[in-house]
Amino acid sequence: MNKTVVIDIVGLSTSVIGEHTPFLKQYIAKKNLTTIEPLLPAVTTSVQSAYLTGKWPADNGIVGNGWYDRVDSEVKFWKQSNKLVNGEKIWDKAKKEDPSFTTSMMFWWYNMYSNADYSVTPRPNYLADGRKMPDCYSHPAELRDVLQTKLGQFPLFQFWGPGANIKSTRWIADASMHTDDLHNPTLTLIYLPHLDYCLQKFGPDIAKIAPELKEIDDVVKDLVTFYEQKGAKIILLSEYGIAPVNNPIHLNRLLRQHDLLGIRVERGLELLDAGASKAFAVADHQIAHIYINDPSVTEKVKSLIKSVKGVELVLDREEQAKYHIDHDRAGDLVVMADKDSWFTYYFWLDDAVAPDYARVVDIHKKPGYDPVEMFMTSKARAGYKLLRKKAGFRYVMDVIPLDATLIKGSHGRVNVANQYKPVLITDNAVAGTLNAPDVFDVIWQHLKG
């Protein structure tokens, strides 16, 4: 099979390709650029899973970056086991035809415990004293040590949070190239997250994100040059584009005001008790899953959500089937925001009693996605916290603001303008409309030649 590399440039759309991405602009002029119709939901784990299985969320089970586990009665976000993804992966199909086929999975999600031959993914060390240490997880295990010896410790705090910057994306690119030199995999999947940060913070405002565009352009240039020298087939793509937004919607606050949320008070702070709630929302960018534990309130909840300014779609199970998201993990209702809006997870009515995790970067405790984690209340406060850390005192990095209006870009919905659709850039022209599961076939065609 042909040596092939798939480079996932998160957030890339035609809206941001131009004078500040000189390499991409030149490269695209010689290739074929096709837009991909956004998946519902157009979020990282769902789209990547569709690309690698050729199946919709209704079949592969990945209905979002997180969902409510009805057995554990817990909201779970950013889990990492590949066993969550149902269906044959593209490397499974390839190995049936060619047992010597190998795959390198560099930071694509659901990375752990797959049968990809080489894989690396973020995985901090949680120490007994409460500290979180930057690290990554790899298969085989020794690959992590080889990469960190050569490249330094994986810059976890530059991968997500207020410190996110090009360093993590550069590390991933360098690690991908070094892994290729060591093992020469047939298929390499590379995830470059850099544009995600600035586009969600500022929206597709070119004047504000020009330096970040140039940074990602340079990384892509290095990767393409490297893989061209290796004779690889190259696919550049994105999972979604990011469009401007200005209207955060707090669905859980609405449900709370109608006595539908279960709230517990611990140490004077409020916590959402999903299992004790009659109904609650799991927010995920411009999509939210509404889980209803008390069926008698279903029509009330549906009516409430439909009345919210900025809500475009409210899908029950039958309506979910039209969008290929009718899976057991999906909410009883799936809600989509309009083009100007997005959903927060916020459930408290007074910031003074917000849970302690609200003001820190904690992607696992929060019962929904929180893009405000990319902002910081003040550098002075963060500096003070770091001084406490260096001095050996206990500290909490509670530096995340609670102002959802800071976010200027989002994604997740369908029916977006062409300039904000995800893209596919290849040597081969693609005929007709391209849906996310069709990308599986495009990759397969490159592998087979």
Side-chain angles (χ1 to χ4, degrees):
M1 288 191 178
N2 294 317
K3 182 177 178 65
T4 300
V5 57
V6 183
I7 303 173
D8 179 0
I9 309 164
V10 179
L12 187 68
S13 67
T14 57
S15 69
V16 296
I17 298 171
E19 63 173 310
H20 301 293
T21 57
F23 173 76
L24 275 169
K25 188 176 177 181
Q26 258 187 345
Y27 185 77
I28 290 167
K30 301 177 289 185
K31 305 293 180 179
N32 293 285
L33 183 148
T34 306
T35 57
I36 304 170
E37 288 300 317
L39 183 77
L40 189 74
V43 298
T44 293
T45 61
S46 299
V47 177
Q48 287 187 9
S49 298
Y51 288 172
L52 296 182
T53 64
K55 296 181 180 297
W56 297 95
D59 298 312
N60 65 41
I62 306 304
V63 298
N65 294 320
W67 53 80
Y68 178 58
D69 185 319
R70 299 173 196 266
V71 176
D72 282 344
S73 297
E74 294 176 356
V75 177
K76 297 179 178 178
F77 257 74
W78 302 110
K79 308 306 287 184
Q80 291 182 291
S81 171
N82 194 260
K83 293 175 173 54
L84 291 166
V85 186
N86 301 322
E88 183 180 59
K89 317 307 187 293
I90 195 163
W91 55 81
D92 295 323
K93 180 177 180 180
K95 280 183 180 288
K96 288 178 182 177
E97 292 203 11
D98 179 3
S100 67
F101 183 95
T102 55
T103 302
S104 174
M105 193 178 184
M106 303 302 292
F107 288 77
W108 281 50
W109 210 254
Y110 298 121
N111 190 297
M112 294 172 62
Y113 316 122
S114 76
N115 54 354
D117 302 272
Y118 313 101
S119 58
V120 190
T121 195
R123 189 70 166 179
N125 275 316
Y126 294 97
L127 305 186
D129 62 3
R131 286 178 296 156
K132 180 169 71 173
M133 302 296 291
D135 207 346
C136 58
Y137 179 97
S138 74
H139 172 79
E142 57 269 21
L143 178 59
R144 177 194 66 171
D145 303 323
V146 169
L147 293 175
Q148 293 197 137
T149 297
K150 181 175 179 62
L151 305 174
Q153 188 177 55
F154 172 65
L156 180 76
F157 300 135
Q158 282 74 50
F159 183 81
W160 181 248
N165 61 33
I166 194 63
K167 289 181 181 178
S168 60
T169 291
R170 172 60 70 180
W171 196 98
I172 293 168
D174 290 343
S176 301
M177 291 185 283
H178 189 55
T179 301
D180 197 273
D181 282 337
L182 290 172
H183 300 293
N184 192 29
T186 319
L187 173 65
T188 296
L189 304 162
I190 304 173
Y191 176 77
L192 303 179
H194 185 58
L195 284 184
D196 220 12
Y197 318 138
C198 60
L199 282 169
Q200 289 188 64
K201 289 171 77 172
F202 305 117
D205 185 332
I206 302 302
K208 290 184 177 177
I209 65 173
E212 284 82 4
L213 290 171
K214 183 62 171 64
E215 287 173 337
I216 193 68
D217 194 62
D218 289 342
V219 172
V220 174
K221 179 181 179 180
D222 291 347
L223 284 168
V224 168
T225 301
F226 175 86
Y227 283 101
E228 282 180 340
Q229 292 171 349
K230 293 286 188 97
K233 301 281 187 180
I234 298 172
I235 300 171
L236 306 182
L237 53 69
S238 54
E239 305 153 4
Y240 45 78
I242 295 181
V245 293
N246 55 38
N247 179 41
I249 300 173
H250 313 292
L251 292 177
N252 277 321
R253 287 177 173 169
L254 173 70
L255 296 173
R256 178 174 181 173
Q257 288 163 348
H258 288 83
D259 299 319
L260 295 166
L261 285 195
I263 299 293
R264 297 181 65 84
V265 177
E266 304 286 355
R267 305 175 311 282
L269 303 178
E270 295 181 346
L271 298 173
L272 173 65
D273 190 342
S277 296
K278 293 180 180 179
F280 63 95
V282 175
D284 196 358
H285 300 85
Q286 291 180 301
I287 298 295
H289 293 267
I290 310 295
Y291 294 92
I292 300 175
N293 292 323
D294 180 352
S296 71
V297 303
T298 299
E299 289 307 312
K300 176 182 178 180
V301 171
K302 194 171 185 179
S303 177
L304 280 173
I305 300 298
K306 282 186 172 182
S307 71
V308 176
K309 181 181 181 294
V311 167
E312 185 171 315
L313 289 177
V314 181
L315 307 174
D316 60 22
R317 277 279 185 250
E318 184 177 344
E319 293 161 326
Q320 288 170 30
K322 301 173 189 174
Y323 293 88
H324 312 286
I325 195 174
D326 53 320
H327 188 274
D328 287 347
R329 291 172 179 162
D332 299 283
L333 302 173
V334 173
V335 184
M336 187 182 85
D338 70 15
K339 66 181 181 62
D340 299 316
S341 306
W342 65 280
F343 299 118
T344 78
Y345 79 95
Y346 296 176
F347 54 83
W348 58 92
L349 304 179
D350 179 355
D351 286 352
V353 294
D356 57 358
Y357 58 66
R359 291 183 172 88
V360 302
V361 175
D362 198 326
I363 64 173
H364 299 301
K365 284 183 182 174
K366 294 180 181 180
Y369 173 72
D370 184 13
V372 185
E373 287 186 348
M374 291 181 290
F375 288 89
M376 188 183 297
T377 49
S378 75
K379 290 185 179 179
R381 182 173 177 80
Y384 166 71
K385 295 290 182 176
L386 288 172
L387 282 174
R388 288 187 63 86
K389 174 182 178 181
K390 289 178 181 178
F393 294 110
R394 294 186 67 84
Y395 69 98
V396 176
M397 289 297 289
D398 51 349
V399 298
I400 305 303
L402 303 180
D403 181 4
T405 64
L406 291 167
I407 297 300
K408 303 302 180 187
S410 194
H411 60 91
R413 51 178 273 110
V414 296
N415 304 326
V416 304
N418 283 337
Q419 68 263 35
Y420 302 126
K421 289 180 180 179
V423 296
L424 178 85
I425 302 159
T426 66
D427 285 323
N428 306 336
V430 177
T433 301
L434 191 65
N435 292 308
D438 300 329
V439 172
F440 179 100
D441 295 323
V442 173
I443 300 171
W444 184 253
Q445 289 161 11
H446 281 69
L447 289 168
K448 293 289 287 183

